[in-house]
Amino acid sequence: MLLSTSASVQPGKQSWPALPFDKWKETCATLHLWSQVVGKVRLVRTPWLNHSWHVPFYLTSRGLTTSPIPDGERTFEVEFDFIDHLLRISTSDGLAKAIGLQPMSVARFYREFFACLAALGLDTRIHLVPNEIDGAIPFDQDERHASYDAPAANRFWLALLQADRVMKQFRARFLGKCSPVHFFWGSFDLAVSRFSGAPAPAHPGGVPNCPDWVTRDAYSHEVYSCGFWPGGDALPTPVFYAYAYPEPEGFKTAPVRPGMASYASAFGEFTLPYDAVRTAAQPDTVLLDFFQSTYEAAAGLGHWRREELEYRGPQAKPAAL
């Protein structure tokens, strides 16, 4: 029995939605900053993991979640629900608070969120300057970013949901050290990273409002990373991307698939327009081809021990176990 259906999402098949950046860029910027407010709470309350793997969000069937965060012997979780358009805070001892996602400034969102945390006994302090953003305004002073287009936010989540699903298929092909498929609120992208196992040269750093030691920890070992980014001022269109650090000689001119993919020198990565995937007859096949071919370029030119790192077992579940 179907109990309820939000007006922002309809039952049935969920396809790759259109996501023109210029139609929702103000909402995107605001949502990015809201996510940082929430993400920094996970950051300060969770034990540090290499490559900052303790800070990202994860896709859910309604939005994005922090996953459980420790609070002594109890836990709490924060979820952006892009169907009912709520920010939910729930604790393992049965308490809960929610904030309606609607047009409001970052400063107001910060105040309301932290008031909810305090009411739940979750007093927390965070660094108020956003990370990885030039000219960042402290959260408690930001009255500039205040947009929220609910249908656009829902389409963004649906795009992430499709990307997450395919990226998990790609992740399953690798036997070596590999990240989860996770959403970084600092750079506002969905990513998965594969590692060769070899150490990498020290990263030069230079990421805005991010200590260089954090960047060097993230890139401490040879890595191939790919993902989805909804767009920004520097590249105002949603794209899938792939890069390697350190970038091996010949990577930028390597033949990759499909033909719509290209190397963006300004970003040091291959990009594939989201629309090229969305409008394809077989979007999953096109996207997997992009990830696989860029990985092969990185691993082949970087002399990775591919025979030891790539999973060659069954790619389909047995009918019964």
Side-chain angles (χ1 to χ4, degrees):
M1 180 174 65
L2 182 65
L3 297 179
S4 64
T5 302
S6 170
S8 64
V9 63
Q10 298 300 316
K13 183 179 179 181
Q14 294 176 316
S15 60
W16 298 77
L19 196 65
F21 181 73
D22 62 332
K23 301 297 185 183
W24 82 295
K25 63 180 180 180
E26 298 301 329
T27 292
C28 184
T30 301
L31 190 56
H32 185 181
L33 292 162
W34 289 356
S35 75
Q36 293 216 10
V37 173
V38 175
K40 287 196 177 205
V41 171
R42 186 184 183 203
L43 168 65
V44 300
R45 282 181 163 265
T46 306
W48 189 277
L49 285 178
N50 56 318
H51 315 298
S52 297
W53 288 356
H54 61 301
V55 305
F57 298 156
Y58 308 94
L59 264 293
T60 75
S61 293
R62 300 191 71 88
L64 287 164
T65 181
T66 59
S67 74
I69 301 170
D71 179 55
E73 293 184 349
R74 69 173 181 165
T75 64
F76 68 101
E77 184 171 358
V78 186
E79 181 183 29
F80 284 91
D81 181 334
F82 295 122
I83 294 178
D84 287 340
H85 301 285
L86 295 171
L87 182 79
R88 291 194 181 90
I89 311 161
S90 54
T91 69
S92 58
D93 52 357
L95 303 178
K97 289 283 186 180
I99 301 170
L101 298 179
Q102 58 186 313
M104 75 174 90
S105 69
V106 173
R108 177 183 162 190
F109 178 89
Y110 165 77
R111 290 192 299 269
E112 292 194 8
F113 175 54
F114 272 77
C116 288
L117 292 178
L120 295 170
L122 299 166
D123 292 310
T124 303
R125 296 182 65 182
I126 63 172
H127 183 56
L128 294 178
V129 178
N131 297 119
E132 303 186 46
I133 297 175
D134 281 317
I137 305 169
F139 301 129
D140 60 345
Q141 301 172 29
D142 190 348
E143 301 289 347
R144 174 184 172 187
H145 298 96
S147 299
Y148 189 75
D149 178 338
N154 178 263
R155 289 193 297 272
F156 170 56
W157 161 70
L158 286 173
L160 287 175
L161 204 64
Q162 296 296 335
D164 179 79
R165 178 180 57 77
V166 177
M167 289 167 66
K168 284 174 178 172
Q169 294 180 51
F170 178 67
R171 185 187 187 276
R173 299 175 177 180
F174 199 69
L175 190 65
K177 177 179 174 179
C178 188
S179 77
V181 179
H182 46 198
F183 185 84
F184 279 105
W185 42 263
S187 47
F188 210 57
D189 65 322
L190 190 71
V192 64
S193 300
R194 295 176 169 186
F195 294 83
S196 74
H203 195 282
V207 177
N209 298 315
C210 184
D212 287 347
W213 70 265
V214 173
T215 308
R216 291 183 181 127
D217 177 70
Y219 293 98
S220 61
H221 289 72
E222 288 182 350
V223 62
Y224 161 86
S225 190
C226 62
F228 170 71
W229 186 58
D233 290 338
L235 183 62
T237 188
V239 295
F240 293 97
Y241 66 82
Y243 66 88
Y245 182 81
E247 183 179 293
E249 184 69 28
F251 180 69
K252 65 184 63 177
T253 57
V256 302
R257 303 179 300 273
M260 298 81 81
S262 62
Y263 186 85
S265 297
F267 300 95
E269 58 192 31
F270 282 99
T271 62
L272 174 65
Y274 170 76
D275 281 346
V277 175
R278 180 181 72 84
T279 60
Q282 296 180 307
D284 293 21
T285 300
V286 170
L287 184 53
L288 284 169
D289 206 23
F290 174 68
F291 292 152
Q292 185 65 29
S293 64
T294 51
Y295 160 72
E296 290 175 354
L301 294 167
H303 306 293
W304 289 24
R305 302 185 311 277
R306 293 182 57 185
E307 67 283 353
E308 300 174 19
L309 297 171
E310 295 170 15
Y311 182 62
R312 304 182 188 282
Q315 292 298 311
K317 292 181 181 178
L321 293 174

